[in-house]
Amino acid sequence: MTMMRSSSSSSSTLSLLKSCKTLRNLEQVHALIIRKGSEQDHVLVTEFISICNSISPKHVTYASTVFDRVLQPNIYLWNNLLKCHCTHSSMATSINFFKRMKQSCYVAADKYTFPSLVKACSRVLALREGQVVHGLIVKYGTEFDVFVGSSLVDLYGKCGEIVNARKVFDEMLVRNEVTWTSMIVGYLKIGDHLEAKKLFDEMPQRNVFSWNVMINGFVKSGDLVSARVLFDEMPDKSMVTFDTLIDGYAKSGDMVSARSLFDQSPEKDIVSWSALISGYAQNGQPKEAVKVFNDMLSRNVKPDEYVMVSLMSASAQAGDWELAKWVDYYLSECSIDLGQNHIAAARVDMHAKCGNLERAATLFEKMPTRDLISYCSMIQGLSVHGHAVRAVALFQRMLAEGLTPDYAAFTIILSACSHADLVDEGCHFFDCMINEYSLAPLTDHYACIVSLLGRAGRLKEAYDILKELPMELHAGAWGSLLWACRVHGDVSLGKEVAGRLFKIEPQNAANYVLLSDIYAASNQWSDVNDVRNQMNEKGIRKLRGCSWL
């Protein structure tokens, strides 16, 4: 009778444990376990640790304290807490707990011990530690277990050790879908799509996950044709599969295929909506992005932060002030956390590019942390809308705050200086880029500095920069200098620059027209005729709307 009452009590406590949803519930049941003297009940403590782990990963320490009160924990208890550590704690903590388990005289590691430990190594790509665990797996004789073997294949595949992964795979007596898929993932990681596809075709059984892995592999490699062939062959298409391919088409710029597949999907989740909106925004079709967003709202689909970032990007590209204000209002009314840095940066970028600089500045100053991207968005907005002096001041403030500018940041500030004829400032930043930040200027940077010097009439300096470069700069920089020669009437240099451009762009009529204009401005009409004759001989036609004078 006593045993029956004890069993009944344990069963009711177990039921209470399984119903726990919060830490407070768990603490109440824990108090009940202590009051009933059930702290040594392995079944209850095992379930307690599992529930503790499921409620929140932060409670691993709490679970550990309960475990530590068990005098002789069995292997199930050890494995359960080890799994918690491997999922939520650091790899070092997990390994130390495993060492403690090894030192226990009551239990020995079994086939349920090692998969969690190997996964902990996989998560941080700890190959050396994983190899040590592999040695212990062999020592304990658990290497032929399908779950242990699958975890090892996953480890070696993720670490790029494809030969070792394949060796483990080939030596396994039993393989399941996870094993096959892990091996395929390993091949995809190193870019061996042929071997991955070969293995995929050999799979005795395929599940939705294995199909998705293979399709995703082709999408990431840019092989959308092979991805679509697999997609069409897939017997049961999941929403994840649709999302993967829609996103792939959108990122490649094929919005027709992306939209067609989107319309075919049986149920559209937030990921597919986001992929389509983002695709239209990134491919220069902001109005289409807005249409899709409105369609989404009409179907009572609640946008998430990623959708809103995509919509803000579309608004910024369109430069639509009214749309930007509406998006900003919508954001203020929804439940999205506006304090997140990527949301705040997108809002600044949207308002800056739409010309609402005061609103952009207000949001910029309210940001909890301002990174390089948010600074560049604000600087570019100021520059584009004619506030180059403020842009320069903000760039200097960014440097003073210790942020390190990258290539894009220097392109933005040099462009701002060029458009506003801030010669001294532009030359200073160009020198800083090379001497202080050890960045070798790219063609865009040279184009900016050449344009800046040319507009200021410092044509020889600009020409010296171009002709001393080790690489053939793109035509834009030479074209900018040729335009400056026309503005400042430098016939001799204009002839030299035009000669360079004729080699780079032999069929570009604009270069011939500019040279002709330079000759015409100095009354060298015979040279104007020579240029015209060269164009006729080469079959180059003057662009409509260009004047010879």
Side-chain angles (χ1 to χ4, degrees):
M1 289 293 291
T2 302
M3 290 178 64
M4 288 176 66
R5 282 195 298 269
S6 176
S7 175
S8 175
S9 175
S10 178
S11 177
S12 62
T13 307
L14 192 61
S15 297
L16 284 173
L17 263 177
K18 291 180 178 179
S19 66
C20 290
K21 303 296 181 185
T22 66
L23 179 61
R24 178 61 179 160
N25 296 153
L26 201 61
E27 288 172 338
Q28 290 172 333
V29 178
H30 186 199
L32 180 64
I33 291 172
I34 294 172
R35 194 173 76 241
K36 291 186 175 183
S38 302
E39 288 180 282
Q40 304 304 315
D41 187 321
H42 288 181
V43 175
L44 284 178
V45 177
T46 300
E47 186 64 28
F48 182 91
I49 292 171
S50 296
I51 299 296
C52 196
N53 181 48
S54 66
I55 289 176
S56 173
K58 298 178 182 178
H59 303 324
V60 176
T61 303
Y62 183 25
S64 297
T65 59
V66 174
F67 173 87
D68 289 340
R69 293 184 66 86
V70 181
L71 299 177
Q72 295 182 9
N74 60 20
I75 187 62
Y76 302 108
L77 262 174
W78 282 101
N79 285 341
N80 210 334
L81 189 53
L82 177 64
K83 184 178 180 180
C84 292
H85 279 302
C86 290
T87 304
H88 302 299
S89 302
S90 67
M91 188 189 67
T93 300
S94 303
I95 289 177
N96 286 334
F97 184 76
F98 173 71
K99 288 178 180 178
R100 179 182 160 193
M101 175 181 171
K102 277 178 62 184
Q103 292 166 0
S104 171
C105 56
Y106 300 110
V107 297
D110 63 8
K111 64 181 181 180
Y112 299 105
T113 304
F114 293 107
S116 299
L117 206 54
V118 176
K119 284 178 184 176
C121 297
S122 298
R123 194 169 64 247
V124 294
L125 304 181
L127 177 61
R128 188 176 65 83
E129 289 81 357
Q131 289 172 326
V132 172
V133 175
H134 190 179
L136 291 171
I137 287 170
V138 175
K139 177 182 176 181
Y140 282 91
T142 60
E143 68 270 30
F144 296 114
D145 177 75
V146 65
F147 297 105
V148 174
S150 297
S151 65
L152 286 171
V153 170
D154 179 65
L155 167 71
Y156 287 123
K158 285 180 178 175
C159 292
E161 294 286 328
I162 200 66
V163 174
N164 288 334
R166 188 58 191 254
K167 185 178 179 181
V168 173
F169 178 85
D170 289 338
E171 291 177 353
M172 290 179 67
L173 303 178
V174 179
R175 306 184 191 104
N176 58 18
E177 287 92 343
V178 175
T179 319
W180 286 85
T181 305
S182 295
M183 193 67 237
I184 290 169
V185 169
Y187 280 120
L188 291 173
K189 181 177 175 61
I190 64 169
D192 192 345
H193 294 80
L194 289 176
E195 197 61 39
K197 182 62 166 62
K198 179 182 175 183
L199 205 62
F200 178 79
D201 292 337
E202 293 173 1
M203 280 186 75
Q205 288 183 313
R206 302 169 189 159
N207 57 20
V208 172
F209 183 69
S210 58
W211 281 94
N212 285 340
V213 161
M214 198 66 234
I215 291 171
N216 188 52
F218 280 128
V219 169
K220 283 187 175 179
S221 70
D223 187 358
L224 292 171
V225 174
S226 296
R228 186 55 189 260
V229 169
L230 269 185
F231 175 85
D232 291 337
E233 292 175 357
M234 189 175 178
D236 298 311
K237 298 173 178 64
S238 68
M239 198 61 236
V240 173
T241 320
F242 276 94
D243 292 341
T244 299
L245 202 51
I246 290 168
D247 188 53
Y249 280 130
K251 285 179 178 175
S252 73
D254 187 355
M255 294 309 299
V256 173
S257 296
R259 184 60 200 242
S260 174
L261 197 62
F262 176 84
D263 291 338
Q264 291 175 37
S265 59
E267 50 179 302
K268 299 163 179 62
D269 61 10
I270 192 65
V271 178
S272 57
W273 286 103
S274 180
L276 202 62
I277 292 171
S278 177
Y280 279 126
Q282 292 172 7
N283 288 287
Q285 300 179 61
K287 291 183 179 178
E288 289 299 320
V290 174
K291 283 182 183 177
V292 174
F293 181 77
N294 288 330
D295 186 21
M296 183 183 73
L297 293 182
S298 70
R299 301 191 189 195
N300 296 318
V301 179
K302 186 178 180 181
D304 63 8
E305 59 189 88
Y306 302 104
V307 170
M308 295 311 300
V309 168
S310 297
L311 187 63
M312 284 188 277
S313 174
S315 303
Q317 287 191 42
D320 189 327
W321 192 358
E322 291 300 321
L323 176 60
K325 287 196 293 184
W326 180 85
V327 172
D328 206 31
Y329 172 77
Y330 185 90
L331 280 168
S332 66
E333 294 295 309
C334 69
S335 59
I336 294 173
D337 180 9
L338 302 182
Q340 299 176 85
N341 226 46
H342 65 290
I343 298 286
R347 291 177 81 194
V348 169
D349 183 63
M350 175 180 70
H351 284 293
K353 287 181 178 174
C354 290
N356 192 352
L357 297 177
E358 297 311 312
R359 177 62 174 159
T362 300
L363 292 170
F364 178 79
E365 296 299 339
K366 287 182 178 179
M367 289 182 69
T369 56
R370 288 174 284 276
D371 59 9
L372 187 62
I373 295 174
S374 55
Y375 261 105
C376 285
S377 295
M378 195 66 218
I379 292 167
Q380 188 173 38
L382 290 168
S383 170
V384 167
H385 294 285
H387 300 276
V389 175
R390 287 175 64 187
V392 168
L394 192 60
F395 188 85
Q396 290 171 332
R397 173 183 160 187
M398 180 185 79
L399 299 182
E401 289 189 7
L403 291 175
T404 302
D406 59 6
Y407 283 107
F410 276 111
T411 300
I412 290 169
I413 195 61
L414 288 174
S415 178
C417 292
S418 176
H419 290 141
D421 294 336
L422 300 176
V423 182
D424 293 337
E425 292 86 345
C427 291
H428 168 71
F429 291 133
F430 189 75
D431 290 337
C432 284
M433 178 181 181
I434 300 169
N435 300 320
E436 290 187 29
Y437 295 98
S438 302
L439 294 175
L442 303 177
T443 53
D444 286 342
H445 304 116
Y446 282 115
C448 286
I449 197 67
V450 166
S451 173
L452 178 63
L453 292 171
R455 291 161 71 99
R458 294 160 62 170
L459 304 182
K460 188 175 185 310
E461 289 180 57
Y463 180 65
D464 288 342
I465 289 174
L466 288 184
K467 72 178 184 179
E468 292 176 6
L469 289 177
M471 78 282 201
E472 189 67 65
L473 201 65
H474 65 62
W478 287 104
S480 176
L481 183 56
L482 184 60
W483 177 85
C485 290
R486 180 191 181 284
V487 171
H488 296 284
D490 193 326
V491 178
S492 176
L493 185 57
K495 182 178 179 180
E496 177 69 24
V497 173
R500 296 266 188 163
L501 278 167
F502 294 161
K503 293 178 181 179
I504 300 172
E505 297 179 318
Q507 296 298 310
N508 189 345
N511 298 324
Y512 291 89
V513 173
L514 269 177
L515 180 60
S516 177
D517 287 347
I518 293 172
Y519 285 139
S522 61
N523 295 318
Q524 298 183 26
W525 298 108
S526 62
D527 291 318
V528 171
N529 288 329
D530 287 343
V531 173
R532 185 178 298 175
N533 290 334
Q534 285 183 54
M535 292 181 69
N536 290 333
E537 289 172 7
K538 296 179 180 180
I540 301 170
R541 301 191 62 172
K542 182 171 71 71
L543 298 175
R544 295 181 66 180
C546 290
S547 173
W548 289 97
L549 300 176

